[in-house]
Amino acid sequence: MTTSTPVPHVLAVPADEHLRLMSSPQRVDRTLELLDADEYPTLRLGTDLTWVGLQAGLNNTPAAPALSGGEMWRDHPPVHALADMQVTMLADALADTDPATVEETGGLVLEESFGEVSDGDIAAAVTRLTEFFRAAADRGDAVIIAFV
């Protein structure tokens, strides 16, 4: 499953760094620099259609903003920022999400829309996303989702 569509890279930053970024007119450029530098924890959700299935599977759940919520910093390709309090709420919502259910729902979308089969990739991505958000929440971090 490969595509040239931008995929989400999830970056956890300390709350004070998030505030600095929010006040900067170059916040998107700085975020991309931070992603390249690997200075802060980053979750790269792949270069394939797994994230499409993940987003479809999380759609209409309390955990949906983990991929597309927060303050929009750029429209295309999207860059969104979630404050530390939002990260904590989403960590709890993700913890209450059943990876098998997300796999089933998202897998149907992949198969119907792209003729692709997930083979457990979506459920694994839910687990990785859940662990990432929990760790970020435990540190008090904000999260930035950049589609690159």
Side-chain angles (χ1 to χ4, degrees):
M1 288 190 284
T2 59
T3 181
S4 61
T5 303
V7 295
H9 292 62
V10 187
L11 175 68
V13 296
D16 60 339
E17 180 71 28
H18 175 245
L19 291 174
R20 278 192 294 278
L21 288 167
M22 282 180 41
S23 65
S24 171
Q26 289 83 29
R27 61 184 169 230
V28 171
D29 291 337
R30 178 66 181 134
T31 296
L32 297 177
E33 289 171 5
L34 289 172
L35 281 170
D36 286 340
D38 283 330
E39 186 175 340
Y40 297 116
T42 304
L43 174 62
R44 301 180 200 286
L45 288 174
T47 58
D48 55 31
L49 293 172
T50 300
W51 72 269
V52 173
L54 178 61
Q55 189 168 30
L58 290 176
N59 195 27
N60 297 320
T61 73
L67 287 181
S68 58
E71 179 184 7
M72 183 179 285
W73 286 0
R74 181 176 70 189
D75 184 38
H76 188 72
V79 176
H80 301 265
L82 298 158
D84 53 343
M85 289 175 48
Q86 292 170 302
V87 171
T88 299
M89 292 185 312
L90 285 168
D92 294 341
L94 284 162
D96 292 337
T97 300
D98 177 25
T101 302
V102 176
E103 172 79 30
E104 183 178 338
T105 305
L108 287 173
V109 170
L110 278 185
E111 192 170 341
E112 290 172 2
S113 300
F114 302 100
E116 298 284 346
V117 177
S118 171
D119 293 329
D121 296 338
I122 296 169
V126 171
T127 300
R128 289 175 39 225
L129 190 64
T130 301
E131 291 169 353
F132 185 87
F133 266 79
R134 176 50 51 205
D138 290 348
R139 289 188 303 270
D141 286 352
V143 166
I144 303 167
I145 305 119
F147 285 71
V148 292

